[in-house]
Amino acid sequence: MKKDAQSDWRLCLIEGGMTRRRALKLAGAGTLGAMLPETGSAQDRQRPHIYMVTYRGETDVERGFFDYLEAQGLDAEFTRRNIDRDNDRLPGLVEEIRELQPDLVYTWGTSVTLGIAGRHDSETPEQHIRDIPIVFALVSAPVQSGIIPERAEPARNVTGAIHVVPPETQLRAMRAYRPFERLGVLYSRNEENSVVIVQDLEVLAEEMGFTLLAQPFAEDDRGRPTAEGVEDLVQGLKDQGADWLYYLPDTFLGTIYDRVSPAALQAGLPTFGAAELAVREGGALVGLVSRYYSVGQLAASKAIKVLRDGEDAAGIPAETLSRFSLIINMQVAKELELYPPLAMLNYAEVLT
């Protein structure tokens, strides 16, 4: 690989100051709980009110968000709601947001953001929040999934932080660790971001000269993905000659790493994570990622522009971080007997 082709992913590590000072301060004041806003209209309240919707509880994304607001001196009150992986709760939260009329809504992930904000071209806008600024975090493909029409100028009351490193950049990093001819992928057909990334990979497969082996998860009678037979799916990809199993930023996949990663290890199939959680907690061998904490900080910077600077969310670009982190799980490397090139250790974070 040429040096200039490597330069787009050999980037500095981002070290977030992972203090809990802000979280503890807020918790002591009772503001991190699911509290109701102060009485009065949004105009009457002195402190801005942020309504937060998370998918699986607090993560490093939210810690980065809180710490950044503190560093900027923004004292806000929060209504926090966790849907606990159940998207069926989102319509009820839309109604609550309308009742509470917060100054800003924070959403975590693609499915939550779509459930709250809807598509920009939705034929049923009345089912979603359109008149309150929304800042999202941990959305991988906001344009392709229909959240906003353009990243540079969202043109609606929605902006935020994109967390996924571009797929082509990740594939180059993957090839630098171990060349491949066949790439295996597991994904959920009901997650628009996953479908979009698979489509992007199909294009890249032609451009970069590899075969994509994309396998959807089994589904229940409501069309939701299930873990049924997932070990067989992993082995099936290996049997088809997959050289890597690529962990997309698929929300459902993130809930079953404890089944997928052991199956991949048993099959001798190395795994590459598109998100930080896949490597730190999910057992992936390696990943080129945006740190969750830093994604939260980036999202908070958008919130500051809306709440303190009075900017219109429709004109605030949705962006990804400018620097990424290469993380290698050395325990997995030992089990697979698949060690990284020595030069890679000069810039990677190694988990032991």
Side-chain angles (χ1 to χ4, degrees):
M1 186 183 302
K2 296 181 181 179
K3 184 175 181 180
D4 59 353
Q6 294 173 332
S7 62
D8 61 350
W9 60 269
R10 290 187 177 181
L11 300 171
C12 301
L13 299 179
I14 301 175
E15 297 295 343
M18 297 275 293
T19 66
R20 292 178 178 266
R21 190 156 48 96
R22 174 60 172 170
L24 291 174
K25 177 182 176 183
L26 291 174
T31 54
L32 278 184
M35 63 174 289
L36 294 177
E38 298 170 354
T39 58
S41 67
Q43 290 77 16
D44 294 334
R45 291 193 299 267
Q46 294 182 351
R47 299 161 63 206
H49 175 209
I50 301 175
Y51 188 104
M52 305 184 75
V53 187
T54 55
Y55 183 76
R56 52 177 180 84
E58 183 179 307
T59 67
D60 281 348
V61 182
E62 286 69 50
R63 284 186 277 277
F65 188 88
F66 291 132
D67 282 353
Y68 189 92
L69 294 185
E70 179 190 35
Q72 293 294 315
L74 183 73
D75 183 23
E77 69 174 281
F78 298 87
T79 296
R80 297 188 67 247
R81 297 291 183 257
N82 170 31
I83 67 170
D84 196 21
R85 302 181 172 93
D86 183 3
N87 289 332
D88 291 341
R89 298 182 182 182
L90 292 172
L93 297 189
V94 168
E95 293 304 315
E96 184 177 48
I97 292 169
R98 289 196 176 115
E99 293 174 4
L100 298 182
Q101 286 294 300
D103 300 289
L104 183 137
V105 178
Y106 165 97
T107 56
W108 190 101
T110 301
S111 61
V112 170
T113 304
L114 282 170
I116 299 297
R119 292 179 57 91
H120 69 87
D121 56 356
S122 172
E123 296 180 356
T124 55
E126 70 279 358
Q127 296 180 7
H128 302 99
I129 299 300
R130 316 294 277 198
D131 59 343
I132 299 172
I134 295 174
V135 171
F136 61 73
L138 231 72
V139 169
S140 57
V143 174
Q144 295 91 327
S145 59
I147 295 171
I148 53 178
E150 294 182 18
R151 286 173 50 172
E153 190 171 351
R156 63 173 301 199
N157 221 4
V158 180
T159 187
I162 302 164
H163 74 294
V164 173
V165 180
E168 182 177 1
T169 304
Q170 292 195 329
L171 296 180
R172 293 188 185 282
M174 199 184 304
R175 274 189 166 165
Y177 193 114
R178 183 199 194 198
F180 63 90
E181 295 182 358
R182 292 174 177 264
L183 180 66
V185 170
L186 296 172
Y187 72 102
S188 303
R189 284 186 289 204
N190 72 330
E191 294 191 27
E192 292 193 45
N193 60 303
S194 297
V195 174
V196 165
I197 293 175
V198 169
Q199 292 170 348
D200 289 344
L201 291 173
E202 290 172 346
V203 174
L204 289 172
E206 293 187 12
E207 295 177 354
M208 300 177 67
F210 66 87
T211 300
L212 179 66
L213 305 173
Q215 176 63 61
F217 291 111
E219 297 172 353
D220 62 18
D221 55 6
R222 297 176 61 184
R224 299 178 301 186
T226 75
E228 181 180 355
V230 69
E231 291 83 1
D232 294 334
L233 295 181
V234 173
Q235 184 62 53
L237 291 172
K238 176 65 175 180
D239 292 343
Q240 293 177 65
D243 300 299
W244 282 95
L245 175 55
Y246 182 31
Y247 285 171
L248 304 184
D250 184 288
T251 304
F252 175 72
L253 173 60
T255 68
I256 59 169
Y257 285 141
D258 60 343
R259 290 186 59 174
V260 176
S261 290
L265 273 177
Q266 185 173 352
L269 184 58
T271 49
F272 188 99
E276 184 177 7
L277 183 69
V279 188
R280 293 201 183 277
E281 300 180 25
L285 167 62
V286 62
L288 185 67
V289 305
S290 297
R291 292 187 183 276
Y292 277 19
Y293 185 88
S294 300
V295 172
Q297 292 180 309
L298 180 59
S301 73
K302 310 294 182 182
I304 289 287
K305 289 179 181 296
V306 173
L307 296 174
R308 188 184 66 190
D309 302 339
E311 295 187 27
D312 186 352
I316 301 174
E319 299 173 298
T320 188
L321 295 169
S322 59
R323 295 182 176 182
F324 313 126
S325 300
L326 184 73
I327 307 175
I328 299 171
N329 190 326
M330 196 57 71
Q331 285 296 113
V332 177
K334 290 178 181 178
E335 291 192 53
L336 290 171
E337 296 185 353
L338 185 61
Y339 297 97
L342 289 177
M344 190 172 280
L345 297 177
N346 291 328
Y347 48 84
E349 176 185 356
V350 177
L351 306 181
T352 58

